[in-house]
């Protein structure tokens, strides 16, 4: 994958959904107590602080990104708005950056999936995270397909561009898979080795032909800004 001068992606800041999910898992509850639909989950105060740290990071970048594309989900849009404040980087919302949809497993913890959909838990364990598609939801391959479409369009419309994305945990991993041409076994091994931090920055530099890793899951800017790093799971259960 070439033609970008630079490609970066920021995971959204800590959301109230991240906090609710962590609380439910600790309590071994079956359902995450959250009133908002997934698209409407806002940032927590810590998440806003983290997004401000991204703004400080961007202020030091020279040259700056020429375009920011953002997931339509509220937590990602709030992150982008805070991070881009004071810059002239245009922001475009693109639905292809939305979080993975989990269908009937929405808002269930791992315990909830096992208790309410035991057959799905077995099927998920057999197929694995990348290929398992819950009823009414998406698998990682589905998300990667829409991301591939987005990046192809960006390469055509902004050759040699510096592009920044604001999205979600799975999106960060799948952008890495596309940028570094990782196969499913390589990608899944990496996902088992670390968690994507809220408001972490990952980026790749391009030479017109291919992309080379620059940083991955970097949180140094959070520490510099006094914002606590967090790495909570997304709102919905995604059992490993």
């Amino acid at each position: 994958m070439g033609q970008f001068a630079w490609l970066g992606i920021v995971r959204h800041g800590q959301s109230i959904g991240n906090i609710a999910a962590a609380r439910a898992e600790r309590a071994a509850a079956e359902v995450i107590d959250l009133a908002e639909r997934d698209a409407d989950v806002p940032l927590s105060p810590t998440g806003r602080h983290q997004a401000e740290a991204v703004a400080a990071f961007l202020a030091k970048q020279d040259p700056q990104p020429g375009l920011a594309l953002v997931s339509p989900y509220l937590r990602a849009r709030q992150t982008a708005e805070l991070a881009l404040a004071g810059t002239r980087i245009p922001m475009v919302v693109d639905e292809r950056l939305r979080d993975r949809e989990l269908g009937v497993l929405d808002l269930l913890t791992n315990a909830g999936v096992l208790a309410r959909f035991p057959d799905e838990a077995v099927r998920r364990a057999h197929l694995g995270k990348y290929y398992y598609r819950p009823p009414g939801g998406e698998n990682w391959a589905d998300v990667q397909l829409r991301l591939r479409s987005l990046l192809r369009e960006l390469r055509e419309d902004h050759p040699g561009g510096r592009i920044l994305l604001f999205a979600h945990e799975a999106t960060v991993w799948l952008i890495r898979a596309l940028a570094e041409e990782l196969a499913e076994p390589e990608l899944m091994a990496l996902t088992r080795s670390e968690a994507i931090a809220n408001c972490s920055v990952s980026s790749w530099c391009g030479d017109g032909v291919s992309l080379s890793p620059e940083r991955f899951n970097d949180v140094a800017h959070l520490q510099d800004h006094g914002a606590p790093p967090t790495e909570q799971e997304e709102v919905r259960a995604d059992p490993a």
Side-chain angles (χ1 to χ4, degrees):
M1 182 185 304
Q3 297 190 16
F4 293 118
W6 185 87
L7 177 66
I9 184 166
V10 177
R11 185 190 175 191
H12 64 79
Q14 183 195 60
S15 71
I16 65 167
N18 293 148
I19 296 171
R23 184 186 304 121
E25 291 287 356
R26 288 194 303 269
E30 293 184 7
V31 179
I32 298 166
D33 184 14
L34 195 65
E36 294 86 355
R37 64 174 186 161
D38 196 29
D40 298 329
V41 173
L43 294 178
S44 70
T46 293
R48 298 183 69 86
H49 191 187
Q50 292 167 335
E52 291 166 356
V54 178
F57 167 84
L58 289 175
K60 298 176 183 177
Q61 301 307 298
D62 185 19
Q64 289 196 329
L67 177 66
L69 279 89
V70 185
S71 161
Y73 284 19
L74 180 59
R75 55 191 180 274
R77 287 189 287 111
Q78 288 180 330
T79 301
E81 288 163 1
L82 289 166
L84 299 175
T87 75
R88 295 184 178 181
I89 302 170
M91 183 179 104
V92 176
V93 174
D94 195 295
E95 73 283 352
R96 287 169 289 185
L97 286 170
R98 70 187 185 277
D99 200 3
R100 180 189 168 207
E101 298 174 4
L102 286 188
V104 299
L105 304 188
D106 192 29
L107 288 179
L108 294 183
T109 63
N110 291 334
V113 174
L114 289 169
R116 301 183 182 206
F117 296 97
D119 290 346
E120 290 301 317
V122 171
R123 193 165 70 91
R124 166 64 176 78
H126 175 67
L127 293 175
K129 181 184 288 188
Y130 187 83
Y131 288 116
Y132 169 70
R133 181 187 295 115
E138 298 176 295
N139 60 24
W140 279 42
D142 294 326
V143 179
Q144 188 163 357
L145 185 63
R146 50 179 160 91
L147 293 175
R148 191 185 299 276
S149 164
L150 173 63
L151 293 183
R152 182 185 302 113
E153 201 171 277
L154 286 169
R155 291 198 308 271
E156 293 172 354
D157 293 346
H158 304 277
R162 298 180 62 83
I163 307 297
L164 180 61
L165 312 174
F166 289 85
H168 307 270
E169 183 180 20
T171 320
V172 175
W173 282 117
L174 291 167
I175 288 293
R176 178 174 179 177
L178 290 168
E180 300 179 23
E181 300 181 348
L182 301 176
E184 180 243 352
E186 298 172 273
L187 176 61
M188 292 298 99
L190 289 169
T191 66
R192 291 190 290 270
S193 68
E194 66 180 303
I196 303 299
N198 295 111
C199 273
S200 60
V201 177
S202 302
S203 60
W204 297 263
C205 292
D207 59 6
V209 176
S210 61
L211 291 169
S212 300
E214 181 181 54
R215 59 174 63 82
F216 185 72
N217 201 20
D218 185 16
V219 294
H221 53 288
L222 300 182
Q223 297 160 347
D224 292 344
H225 197 69
T230 56
E231 54 184 33
Q232 288 96 339
E233 295 289 335
E234 289 290 2
V235 173
R236 298 151 300 161
D238 190 7

